[in-house]
Amino acid sequence: MPSLRTALLQSSGRPGDVSENLKALDEAAGRAAAAGARLLVCPEMFLTGYAIGDDVPKLAEPADGPGARAVAEIAVRHGIAVHYGYPERAGDLIHNSAQLIGPDGERLANYRKTHLFGCFEQQWFTPGDTAVVQAELDGIRIGLLICYDVEFPENVRAHALAGTDLLLVPTAQMHPFQFVAESLVPVRAFESQMYIAYVNRSGPEGEFEFVGLSSLASPDGAVRTRAGRGEELVVGDVDPALLAASRENNPYLRDRRPGLYRSLV
């Protein structure tokens, strides 16, 4: 099975301006496809911006809303799958969500963030209640989480037990928590034997300072590609052969003793 070339778009776009963010996404999708990528991963809330405050209700849209249709057109135009974050309106509720659109424009998966971080998110969003959401792309089983979710080892281990090969984690990781990007994410990839694409916003936005440092971490604990602190598009390969060899050599999942962990739930 060939590798899945994955592009990580580190950018905050233009907060509050969906049309400009779609233009940036279109341009990045073109560059990613030209580099041979089959998947483009964008940061948390990329469609609208993260620090949009009281505009959350105004900018939120259904999973099949106009933003999703525009992203689908971009995916088809460039022949690349696109994963992006957005505020999702579901009836009277609003979720912090991420959606994966296939290269044919079809929606493959939609995930609602289950662990909300800080006062801003808890004020505007309702947490999702589905822990493991997955899709298939080019023979790779892809799982979805968002930002703070990956900081709970139970979440990532649940994906490991469900067979996730590549975990997509759009994030809005801010100062002074850059150790998550630098240290925690590669450890999560190693301990649960999967690739993790951790894709951050960058620079100042409202009261926040996003630290960048987007990365593709592999199951051997290595970081296959990493961005700096500014806007950047980086590309890395998800190699099924490396994944299979690492899983064969690493005994964590085989040596688990679930009967001892019942107190965790």
Side-chain angles (χ1 to χ4, degrees):
M1 185 187 301
S3 296
L4 177 66
R5 181 154 289 182
T6 302
L8 317 180
L9 174 60
Q10 180 169 286
S11 171
S12 288
R14 186 176 295 178
D17 193 332
V18 173
S19 63
E20 286 299 316
N21 293 334
L22 287 169
K23 288 179 184 177
L25 177 57
D26 189 28
E27 189 271 338
R31 285 194 288 142
R38 286 280 292 164
L39 170 63
L40 172 64
V41 187
C42 302
E44 182 175 7
M45 296 275 284
F46 182 75
L47 186 65
T48 61
Y50 182 86
I52 54 176
D54 294 347
D55 285 340
V56 169
K58 181 178 73 175
L59 295 175
E61 64 173 62
D64 60 354
R69 294 192 293 272
V71 173
E73 291 174 2
I74 291 170
V76 171
R77 180 158 53 250
H78 298 289
I80 189 171
V82 177
H83 177 266
Y84 69 100
Y86 73 109
E88 178 192 358
R89 180 173 294 283
D92 294 331
L93 303 180
I94 300 175
H95 301 281
N96 182 339
S97 296
Q99 188 150 231
L100 177 62
I101 305 292
D104 59 357
E106 293 298 313
R107 177 154 45 111
L108 300 180
N110 187 65
Y111 171 77
R112 296 166 175 172
K113 189 174 186 178
T114 53
H115 296 73
L116 301 179
F117 178 81
C119 297
F120 166 68
E121 292 189 14
Q122 292 168 10
Q123 175 184 359
W124 290 110
F125 299 112
T126 298
D129 56 9
T130 302
V132 176
V133 172
Q134 296 172 309
E136 297 281 333
L137 180 65
D138 294 356
I140 300 293
R141 184 170 294 181
I142 293 176
L144 279 60
L145 291 179
I146 298 174
C147 196
Y148 193 39
D149 291 330
V150 81
E151 298 178 38
F152 294 81
E154 299 89 344
N155 281 345
V156 184
R157 183 52 55 86
H159 271 277
L161 297 176
T164 292
D165 300 317
L166 168 61
L167 186 62
L168 307 183
V169 187
T171 187
Q173 182 63 59
M174 57 197 71
H175 179 81
F177 304 111
Q178 52 264 30
F179 73 90
V180 174
E182 294 170 340
S183 302
L184 186 147
V185 169
V187 169
R188 289 282 180 272
F190 179 76
E191 69 188 7
S192 281
Q193 288 298 289
M194 63 179 64
Y195 282 87
I196 300 180
Y198 187 77
V199 187
N200 200 8
R201 307 178 70 81
S202 62
E205 185 179 331
E207 63 185 287
F208 308 112
E209 176 74 30
F210 299 116
V211 300
L213 302 175
S214 300
S215 65
L216 178 66
S218 56
D220 57 2
V223 174
R224 297 292 160 176
T225 188
R226 184 183 295 283
R229 295 298 186 105
E231 296 210 351
E232 194 171 350
L233 181 74
V234 296
V235 177
D237 291 326
V238 173
D239 182 356
L242 185 152
L243 181 61
S246 184
R247 286 173 170 173
E248 179 64 27
N249 293 328
N250 187 308
Y252 281 160
L253 297 182
R254 293 192 301 273
D255 289 350
R256 292 173 65 253
R257 297 180 62 191
L260 301 179
Y261 316 143
R262 291 181 182 137
S263 63
L264 294 177
V265 295

